[in-house]
Amino acid sequence: MTVLAIYVGLILVAWAITRFALAPLTSVDDFTRRKTVTFGDESAVRASRAASVFSVLAIFLIWGAFTGSRLTPLHAPEAWRMAPIWLPPPEAVWGRVVTIASDGYRNFTLFEHLIASIWRVVGGFLAGALLGIPLGFAMGLNGFLRGWFDPIVEFMRPVPPLALIPLVIIWFGIDEKAKIILLFLASLWIMAIAARAGVAGVKLSKVHAAYSLGASRWQVLRYVILPNALPDIFTGARVAMGVCWGTVVAAELVAAERGAGMMIMVASRFMSTDIVIMGVILIGIIGYGIDMLMRIAERKLAPWKGRG
Amino acid sequence: MADLRIDDVSMTFRLPNGGEVHALSNVSLTIRKGEIVSVLGPSGCGKTTLLNILAGFLAPTGGEVWLGNHTVRGPDRERGMVFQQGALFEWMSVRENVGFGPRMAGRPKAEIRRTVDHLLDTVGLSDFKEKAIYELSGGMQQRVALARCLANDPDVILMDEPLGALDALTREKMQGLVLDLWKETGKTVILITHSVEEALLLGERLIVMAPRPGRIHREYRLPFAEMGAGGDLRTVKRHPEFAAKREEILSMIWEMEEEIMGRAEAAE
Ligand SMILES: Nc1ncnc2c1ncn2[C@@H]1O[C@H](COP(=O)(O)OP(=O)(O)OP(=O)(O)O)[C@@H](O)[C@H]1O
Ligand SMILES: [Mg+2]
């Protein structure tokens, strides 16, 4: 309760600063500012950068205040503070990042743990995309193949990949190959469905235009259907990457020798809360980074998305 | 001698519920090489169906289409199509769109370049060659569609309401462009439209179709396309004969609609 009240108080302070102190410095007299009606107009709502910065600061401030951090100017009364075993102060977590980055944890450095997780995601996703995209195309273009694969894809789609972990462990064990297979299965159906939607979404007039311009069936596939499906494939890839990242962490929680999930699981057994928190933060940052990269790739490779 | 001969063409769609739609019934029409023909008719009278058959996208359930001495079977570069909108390839630049046909045919790069440059000059887009499709206005996009069609040097150009989505002013400019291109290239042009004025301006021959079943209702020979080509469309429109023909065709269409309505009521 107290934490919530303080948080709301910080929001109000930050709002007052952005509104009265910073606004005259940062505002630009552009088209949006000339609008007299902005409430209800989504395009007129732009995220305030200052607010985002304050938001991050507020979290660290509260975190520090309740853990007796040396970095925060104000502190909660002794009785309300959290013991480091439940929640260590920010600088302790940062200290852990530094030591694990250089000395390692459980035989592997921080970098090696994270790279292990990322590598599994990339490998599993690529395998899933490599098979899923052609599968989706085949389903979009051929009635027999659509009929053949529809029940399989529609059945597998609602099965959460986490539910496959026990089966994958029974069949393939807990080594690297098993994890890649799990992520492959997680991304396969997403990519197949995205590619199928991309094929189905092609406007008939584009296909007709290509044929009457003299394109062969293969050329229609290569120059019309494939590029037309790209935006849908990218949307699918972003979803698949997100799912894979979540799945790999979960799979590492269950069984792994290295990886972000393994790190926090083992640490929690020893009550090393600082490592757990560090792990969670890094997992969040990497997940966000992956999505950013996918979005950049999408803008570079399919800039016409949504503008047909 | 590559006349387009529509020989007793019928098209019956079978509906999933067992019903039938007679979209076209025994349509016969010969279009001479180099002629420009406009097609007018109420919604649902089979204009698009007819054009799709000419393009080869649909096989008629009866009759045949001949171009010169061979029958039409499937789409081919000899018959180009210009759609209302949205048929350009957004993932290609203006230049790549226009060069699509020659590229698919494996023409040499330098030759494609020359063709595309020339055509984009002709349609007035020489400053937009490297632009993306979504950066162009609707009127410019239709210019690209025209150029893309011409790049293949087809014998026949089929247009399904090509100017239907444009504003009045752009539309008038584009009508002039279509006429000029027709005159310059000497291609056979078949153009579907919902606008009586456009049909008068862009048809040496105007075909009026009637629905249920889709068929040719009346045919007119008109002097306006010849007058307008290379000249000013506004002068043509002020011509007393133009106004008279417009009235004639409008009242004929009204009569036809009333007759159809009457028949529909009688059937009930
Ligand atoms: N694939 C199809 N299946 C069943 N019926 C069809 C099909 N295509 C067209 N029709 C029917 O055939 C008739 C003619 O359609 P068509 O699209 O050729 O008309 P149109 O003259 O082009 O109309 P509009 O002016 O609205 O474009 C309509 O009654 C339509 O419902
Ligand atoms: Mg139509």
Side-chain angles (χ1 to χ4, degrees), chain A residues 202-216 219 223-225 227-228 303-304 307-308, chain B residues 52 57 75-77 79-81 83 85-92 100-101 103-104 134 148-149 152:
Chain A
V202 67
K203 260 181 121 176
L204 189 57
S205 58
K206 290 193 211 295
V207 176
H208 276 171
Y211 275 121
S212 56
L213 287 166
S216 65
Q219 286 171 325
Y223 294 105
V224 180
I225 295 178
N228 186 77
W304 66 89
R307 300 202 252 187
Chain B
N52 281 342
F57 304 144
D76 189 288
R77 58 179 63 248
R79 283 160 282 120
M81 185 94 168
F83 296 84
Q85 62 179 162
L88 293 174
F89 307 131
E90 289 93 35
W91 44 91
M92 298 180 191
F100 184 81
R103 197 147 55 93
M104 293 304 106
Y134 51 81
R148 182 175 73 174
C149 182
N152 249 356

